[in-house]
Amino acid sequence: MDLFTEGDPVADTKAPEGPVEKRWETRRFEAKLVNPANRRKMTVIVVGTGLAGGSAAATLAEQGYRVKSYCYQDSPRRAHSIAAQGGINAAKNYRNDGDSVHRLFYDTVKGGDFRSRESNVHRLAEVSVNIIDQCVAQGVPFAREYGGLLDTRSFGGAQVQRTFYARGQTGQQLLLGAYQALERQIGLGNVEMNARHEMLELIVVDGKARGIVVRDMVTGEITTEFADAVVLASGGYGNVFYLSTNAKGCNVTATWRAHRKGAYFANPCYTQIHPTCIPVSGDHQSKLTLMSESLRNDGRVWVPKAKGDDRAPRDIPEDERDYYLERIYPSFGNLVPRDIASRAAKNVCDEGRGVGPSKLGVYLDFADAIDRLGRQAIEAKYGNLFEMYERITGEDPYEVPMRIYPAVHYTMGGLWVDYDLQSTIPGLFVIGEANFSDHGANRLGASALMQGLADGYFVLPTTIANYLAAGPFEPVQASHPAVVEARRDVEDRIQRLLAVDGDRTVDSFHRELGQIMWEHCGMERSEAGLRKAIDEIRALREQFWQRVRVPGDGEGLNQSLEKAGRVADFFELAELMCIDALHREESCGGHFRAEHQTADGEAQRDDDRFAYVAAWEFTATGEPAVLHKEDLKFEYVHPTQRSYK
């Protein structure tokens, strides 16, 4: 049976024509407005309270809309954005080193391997300069130079220093800024905050998104919540791999439920493998830990030149070390983009030159930086990261090199959205990592925080008004057939999960699914491996619905039930990811097909056949997925073979 069929093309009709640097200004003027008196009559649901969701809820409430905010954590500030470490990009050019909005635009399109929309990326670069001003006004404690000016540092894929940071906890400080803005609106009564609530279904009435079905994770109560528009800011789906740097609660359920209701899912195979993570230490692990990309500013990556060299790192002389990133990519050195650094680490380990007990690791060495700058300077920049590494590994990175290896970190794919960040379901807007819009096939470091805050503070509050200007819409009643059906679907699914009463835990299925995905849809993919993965995923999903055991009931707190629902959605997503990776017979960014590489092992794109966004339409399980293509046009950054040498 065919794995997919091709449907009609999909197009972004909201991006204006004209010079790329004028398009956002044009769209802001052309978009319809909602006057302040009418905003008070309208309700917007925001799912997720990370940087995108928290900033969006706070800003919409500030504008006068009634906002209902939902998160599954016990507090909005527990969103996974808080774990971001290294920094946030902005084209401020404080260093006077040649940066500009156009250069950030260029670097992002190139870094994404020419698989993103020029209009969206240029808007992101434009808005980046406003984000820093906003956050400084909120009191975010960015690092500063001796004279008091904001400090910046380098990140991968750029030759300028445009990354603003707050030591190694930038995400935490930015999220606390958004959180205080959100809490202000909660205190004023403009935001109704619902923590410990999980979205389990999207309510679509007369073709428009009009609400969600949520479960109170403490009491088990299922309720239907209504609004004039719904915003999903629920993050990425990296936990489909089981082992990732994401928090254990991160999941795809909110976006997958929307996908099943008609929202196209774009480029699901574009996943980012981060090159600097603490290596896997054994089968007992349930997640992995990121070591910030910022460490590659001062740390040097190397492995022994000889295979099987088991000497301690300090016993290996300088001339017997291979600083392979500096050797292969002299222009960018250790600050090449993440997809390139990850594949290079995999290659040297595949050659038998990996380090550590598993031999799946490379060294990140700070000896030269400590000699040059002094230990105190390194502590000031990276102290909390070094402390975290020592607590996890028992090794002091001031004395011995860190051991790192690539791990799943971020997902560039997500729900398809137009220039207004609206999905294919009218009234459903998707922001932050939950959408696909800005990063193409590979995200540059420090750009996730930039996109989340750009979408939440500046883009969505403008574009959602264009949709809401036609409202307020007719109130939706709980007795409406579409609402009754959505609620019944949630209740039936919960009962089905509880009724299996099998002999395997949810985690055992999730771990096995993750192993399949990492092996066949991870850093390197092939046609044979992907076809094998699809067969194995289908067989394992069938086993799941026959053998999973979910203890307890749905009437109260039940973490096994929560995980079971999320893993059930991961099974369906995993199959689509493999189908997407199989159909894309090229290598680009984080999608590396073994059959499509240059003579020196770099990704080999096929722009004639695959310069498009793959937007997938959901079909009944077992039926072929439907592919809709959005052709990408490059007027300002013309596709070339990406080179960082």
Side-chain angles (χ1 to χ4, degrees), residues 145-196:
E145 296 177 325
Y146 182 76
L149 300 177
L150 294 179
D151 196 14
T152 53
R153 57 190 178 195
S154 299
F155 254 62
Q159 291 180 306
V160 295
Q161 291 182 274
R162 64 163 67 102
T163 304
F164 295 79
Y165 65 98
R167 211 178 183 194
Q169 49 188 246
T170 314
Q172 178 181 8
Q173 300 305 325
L174 292 172
L175 185 61
L176 290 175
Y179 170 70
Q180 70 184 16
L182 176 61
E183 283 295 318
R184 176 174 179 269
Q185 295 303 320
I186 294 171
L188 292 171
N190 299 328
V191 175
E192 175 192 304
M193 187 66 235
N194 299 277
R196 303 295 285 153

Side-chain angles (χ1 to χ4, degrees), residues 418-432:
D418 60 18
Y419 192 66
D420 283 0
L421 304 181
Q422 186 171 213
S423 73
T424 47
I425 301 175
L428 178 66
F429 292 79
V430 191
I431 60 177

Side-chain angles (χ1 to χ4, degrees), residues 80-81 83-86 155 235-239 241 243-247 250 270-277 287-293 338 342 405-412 433 442-449 518:
H80 188 57
S81 297
Q85 297 172 356
F155 254 62
Y237 49 87
N239 274 349
F241 291 90
L243 287 178
S244 82
T245 65
N246 291 178
C250 295
Y270 289 167
T271 55
Q272 180 163 88
I273 314 295
H274 198 294
T276 53
C277 303
K287 78 176 300 293
L288 298 173
T289 304
L290 172 72
M291 287 285 102
S292 170
E293 180 169 313
R338 292 173 176 177
S342 293
Y405 193 70
V408 174
H409 176 59
Y410 186 89
T411 52
M412 285 74 68
E433 191 179 354
N442 175 65
R443 177 177 67 76
L444 292 182
S447 287
L449 308 187
W518 179 251

Side-chain angles (χ1 to χ4, degrees), residues 215-221 553-559 561-562:
R215 177 176 181 270
D216 185 319
M217 296 162 65
V218 177
T219 67
E221 181 184 7
D553 56 38
E555 301 305 312
L557 180 65
N558 189 336
Q559 291 182 312
L561 177 60
E562 296 162 19

